[in-house]
Amino acid sequence: MSAVVHGQREVRRARYAVAAVFAVHGAVTGSFATRVPWIQDHAQVSAGQLGLALAFPALGASVAMPLAGSVSHRFGARNALRGLMALWTLSLVLPSLAPNLLTLCLALFTYGATAGMADVAMNALGVEVENRLGRSIMSGLHGMWSAGALIGSAAGTLAAHLGADARLHHVLAAAVLTVLGVAACAWVLDLQPAEDEEPPPRFALPPRSALLIGAIGFCAVFAEGASLDWSAVYLRDRLETSAGLAAACTTGFTLTMALARIAGDKVVDRYGAVRTVRASGVLAVLGGLMIVVAGHPAVAMGGFALMGLGIAVVVPLCFAAAGRSGTNPSLAIAGVATITYTSGLIAPSAIGLLAQAASLTVSFCLVTLLSCGVAGFAGVLRPGERDRGKVSRPDAAVPGPRP
């Protein structure tokens, strides 16, 4: 067997492994989200206090994500991801154990910090696999994350329906997901830093290229957070639908995003990242306009579906572009991730404040305006995208080990 063929098999195996890691990461998020009401009751916190506590995962992630590059440099990419994934899956247990607001905030800060570092590490490895394969895979990887989140949510919904104690549910879920995550990490690429490579700084401002790419991600994640948290409220309050139909709108938005991400790589390979994101932004704008002018639930639901379709591939392509934008992929990815997490943190509250000051319709006018930014600034992804139709040599698609 030639070294090239062996290398291609190793990279393909690494692709499936990192896809499994993405799915496990998403499953943790889905498992947690469905048990938030139980956690609120157990910690005996009000709705306002819960809102405060739920800001701490994003704060923890923003603080910890810049550390991921240092961890990968010190332990190697495979060992770093294995350890960070184990910390992330095990942290699922912490929020359900919290007896009060203070401990809940601390638990959620830790939960977010481990989530963010694992997120950076797995995206960096995903970008490396994509580069070696010579074709887009990042959209599909994020689709696997969405699929994992849906599976975790389904299991959590069943546990809640059965009245299961969230502590027991999360201990069992954490045990299973830790085993699956650590096992999958055994097959990811084992990247090691060069002997003379300087370790990345523990804390550093993201490079300028990451700021520009992160701006697109900010717009997309703002639209995603607004739609996820407010779509059901929009249908219920503005269009006076039933609770079931309002919930179905949110589910439809989530499913649209997952399906679009899974199918998105073929579109990216054919048309390139810039054209794909520009068209995605146009779809998101059309969806936003349908939401704003909707006089019937079907129109609004169609608008949210278009919004999900439009923003689905944007963040994966931002991570891919960041990973190719400079000499330190982990630092660039951490910069983009920090910006997108910040957007996810402020979007729900910003929509709520604007709705209180004016109306939900005005709030989604802002979402539509930011969607215009996705289409308008898509060109910043051009330096990192592959030429459409470019055929890589087999030996170029699978470079040798890093020195």
Side-chain angles (χ1 to χ4, degrees), residues 108-293:
L108 289 174
F109 184 90
T110 304
Y111 172 87
T114 55
M117 288 193 290
D119 197 331
V120 171
M122 70 188 192
N123 273 286
L125 278 169
V127 170
E128 181 65 26
V129 172
E130 180 176 273
N131 291 340
R132 296 193 182 196
L133 286 173
R135 62 179 184 273
S136 176
I137 67 166
M138 289 301 292
S139 179
L141 292 180
H142 283 253
M144 289 298 295
W145 188 96
S146 297
L150 286 172
I151 293 172
S153 296
T157 300
L158 178 60
H161 179 72
L162 295 175
D165 190 305
R167 291 169 293 188
L168 176 61
H169 165 212
H170 283 167
V171 165
L172 294 175
V176 172
L177 293 173
T178 299
V179 171
L180 293 176
V182 170
C185 289
W187 304 105
V188 302
L189 295 176
D190 189 18
L191 306 179
Q192 299 291 337
E195 292 183 2
D196 58 347
E197 182 178 337
E198 291 291 330
R202 292 185 178 180
F203 293 97
L205 292 175
R208 184 170 177 264
S209 59
L211 294 176
L212 295 174
I213 295 168
I216 300 179
F218 181 95
C219 295
V221 172
F222 193 99
E224 179 182 354
S227 299
L228 278 174
D229 289 350
W230 288 95
S231 56
V233 177
Y234 192 90
L235 262 71
R236 185 196 65 190
D237 292 354
R238 185 178 181 276
L239 300 176
E240 300 179 348
T241 65
S242 66
L245 189 61
C249 179
T250 303
T251 302
F253 172 82
T254 305
L255 285 173
T256 302
M257 283 198 65
L259 293 174
R261 282 177 170 174
I262 291 172
D265 289 320
K266 293 186 182 297
V267 178
V268 176
D269 281 331
R270 181 169 183 179
Y271 298 105
V274 172
R275 280 198 247 178
T276 300
V277 171
R278 190 164 286 143
S280 296
V282 171
L283 288 176
V285 171
L286 291 175
L289 291 174
M290 289 176 64
I291 295 166
V292 170
V293 303

Side-chain angles (χ1 to χ4, degrees), residues 17 20-21 24-25 27-28 81-83 85-90 92 170-187:
V21 170
V24 170
H25 195 287
V28 176
L81 183 61
R82 183 185 288 123
M85 280 299 296
L87 290 174
W88 162 233
T89 52
L90 292 173
L92 173 62
H170 283 167
V171 165
L172 294 175
V176 172
L177 293 173
T178 299
V179 171
L180 293 176
V182 170
C185 289
W187 304 105

Side-chain angles (χ1 to χ4, degrees), residues 375-402:
F377 297 115
V380 303
L381 302 180
R382 183 170 288 110
E385 70 170 343
R386 289 181 295 276
D387 294 331
R388 183 164 67 94
K390 180 178 178 180
V391 179
S392 301
R393 303 188 316 274
D395 57 337
V398 189
R402 287 186 175 180

